[in-house]
Amino acid sequence: MNNISAVTEFLLVGFSGPWKLQLLQAGTSIVIYLAALMQNGLIITITTLDPCLHKPMYFFLRYLSLFDLCLISAVVPKAIVNSLTHSNYISFLGCVIQLFLVIFSATTELFLLTAMAIDRYAAICHPMHYEVIMNRAKCVQMASLSWLSGGLMCVIHTAVTFSLSYCGVSEIQQFFCDIPQLLAISCSEYIFAEIALILINAVLDFCCFVCIIISYICIFSTVRKIPSIEGQSKAYSTCLPHLAVVVLFLSTAFGAYLKPILGSASFNDLILSALYIVLPPSLNPIIYSLRNEAMKVGLEKLITTKLLTKKNLLIFLQE
């Protein structure tokens, strides 16, 4: 039995296939990654520069986009390089960093989504006290708690996972370093500690989901009492996209992490993991942020007042 310290690299089996298929996968991944990079980058820029968007909802939204970028950047660039170079190896340190960033980003995102649900609850159910409930100090505290919780969880998971022993061929049946597949190749007697941690994490995720559902039950109950159809539509337009993001994120995450533990690895596990890593960062800006009217106005202001100023035009003409 060899300790993990003796392992210098892992082989990411991932989506195997002929060169043309690998090239197609790399091309598709590049397009998706660049789109996610541009969309989330725009959201971060707009919500930072536009004073009208310095509100709790957009405060959390900015950090949600930041961790979306962190999640997809931790996995997709390496997968693209592996497909183009036809070399699926990842170093031991690279595997540690990748696992750390994935867990940190995903866990923090879930807590941020929960904080956003609480914000929507306060805005719709207690509008008269909204500014007191969701003041800047409270938003910073909730965001800091999300980061600290995500950091604590990822440190524990990473430490326990890489304290296990591995023997035989270090092939990971995945396109990135993932806990379930690392457990599958471990010959340690203590893998049940990590499985227990994953199940505990799943319970915490479910508690966050219940908190979000309870918030939205109260929200929809309040919205139904709004007399005007226009008022109801406005409330639904800000709540339903957020609920869709939560369902998308949790459904793919539960499928990606629980199924490999409960059953054997399969091609479907690769698809679930790809959806979990790629879909939320790619679709969150579309279904939640960039369809928002305030975000569209902010984008127009960014283009007209920040990028096309007289000074910038003169510099452009001189060059």
Side-chain angles (χ1 to χ4, degrees):
M1 183 180 295
N2 299 321
N3 191 271
I4 189 65
S5 59
V7 177
T8 59
E9 59 185 10
F10 293 96
L11 176 63
L12 301 173
V13 177
F15 296 100
S16 58
W19 167 246
K20 291 184 178 180
L21 181 59
Q22 294 289 326
L23 196 61
L24 178 62
Q25 292 172 3
T28 304
S29 298
I30 290 173
V31 171
I32 294 174
Y33 180 64
L34 290 178
L37 196 67
M38 181 184 67
Q39 293 171 353
N40 288 285
L42 272 176
I43 291 170
I44 295 171
T45 304
I46 294 169
T47 55
T48 301
L49 296 179
D50 191 349
C52 297
L53 298 180
H54 291 176
K55 300 176 181 178
M57 184 177 85
Y58 302 106
F59 173 84
F60 293 119
L61 184 58
R62 177 163 63 249
Y63 288 105
L64 181 68
S65 294
L66 179 64
F67 284 101
D68 272 339
L69 282 180
C70 184
L71 178 62
I72 195 170
S73 297
V75 175
V76 173
K78 177 61 178 176
I80 293 172
V81 171
N82 286 351
S83 295
L84 293 177
T85 60
H86 231 46
S87 174
N88 294 333
Y89 285 97
I90 184 172
S91 66
F92 167 74
L93 180 60
C95 191
V96 173
I97 294 173
Q98 192 175 72
L99 184 66
F100 181 92
L101 290 176
V102 168
I103 300 173
F104 180 50
S105 303
T107 306
T108 306
E109 274 198 41
L110 179 59
F111 287 117
L112 285 172
L113 288 171
T114 306
M116 293 171 74
I118 295 173
D119 171 68
R120 291 298 84 203
Y121 166 78
I124 295 175
C125 298
H126 302 282
M128 301 298 293
H129 303 92
Y130 176 67
E131 293 185 0
V132 177
I133 298 173
M134 297 300 297
N135 54 53
R136 180 167 181 80
K138 186 64 67 64
C139 292
V140 172
Q141 290 173 5
M142 294 175 72
S144 300
L145 182 61
S146 299
W147 305 332
L148 290 174
S149 301
L152 179 63
M153 293 300 296
C154 72
V155 167
I156 294 174
H157 278 291
T158 305
V160 173
T161 300
F162 288 100
S163 66
L164 299 175
S165 298
Y166 294 80
C167 51
V169 182
S170 55
E171 291 186 356
I172 300 176
Q173 301 295 321
Q174 188 58 271
F175 62 95
F176 68 101
C177 289
D178 197 20
I179 291 178
Q181 303 307 331
L182 283 168
L183 295 182
I185 65 173
S186 173
C187 55
S188 174
E189 298 177 357
Y190 306 104
I191 63 171
F192 293 105
E194 177 58 27
I195 293 177
L197 282 174
I198 292 177
L199 294 178
I200 292 172
N201 202 28
V203 172
L204 292 175
D205 294 347
F206 182 74
C207 290
C208 289
F209 180 68
V210 170
C211 179
I212 293 171
I213 292 300
I214 292 174
S215 299
Y216 273 98
I217 290 174
C218 297
I219 288 171
F220 292 147
S221 177
T222 302
V223 170
R224 290 181 59 186
K225 298 176 183 178
I226 298 177
S228 67
I229 301 298
E230 183 180 353
Q232 291 184 1
S233 300
K234 185 178 180 180
Y236 283 130
S237 66
T238 61
C239 294
L240 289 179
H242 174 258
L243 194 58
V245 169
V246 171
V247 172
L248 173 67
F249 182 76
L250 285 180
S251 60
T252 53
F254 277 124
Y257 274 88
L258 293 184
K259 185 182 181 301
I261 297 175
L262 300 176
S264 58
S266 66
F267 181 76
N268 291 334
D269 297 332
L270 295 176
I271 299 299
L272 285 172
S273 297
L275 294 178
Y276 164 63
I277 295 296
V278 172
L279 275 189
S282 302
L283 295 183
N284 284 358
I286 298 174
I287 66 179
Y288 185 76
S289 305
L290 296 182
R291 294 183 59 190
N292 186 288
E293 288 299 324
M295 293 294 296
K296 291 180 181 178
V297 173
L299 179 59
E300 292 175 1
K301 289 166 64 176
L302 175 68
I303 294 174
T304 56
T305 63
K306 299 294 181 181
L307 301 181
L308 298 180
T309 60
K310 183 178 179 180
K311 183 179 179 180
N312 287 344
L313 286 174
L314 289 175
I315 293 174
F316 176 77
L317 292 174
Q318 289 175 359
E319 293 178 348

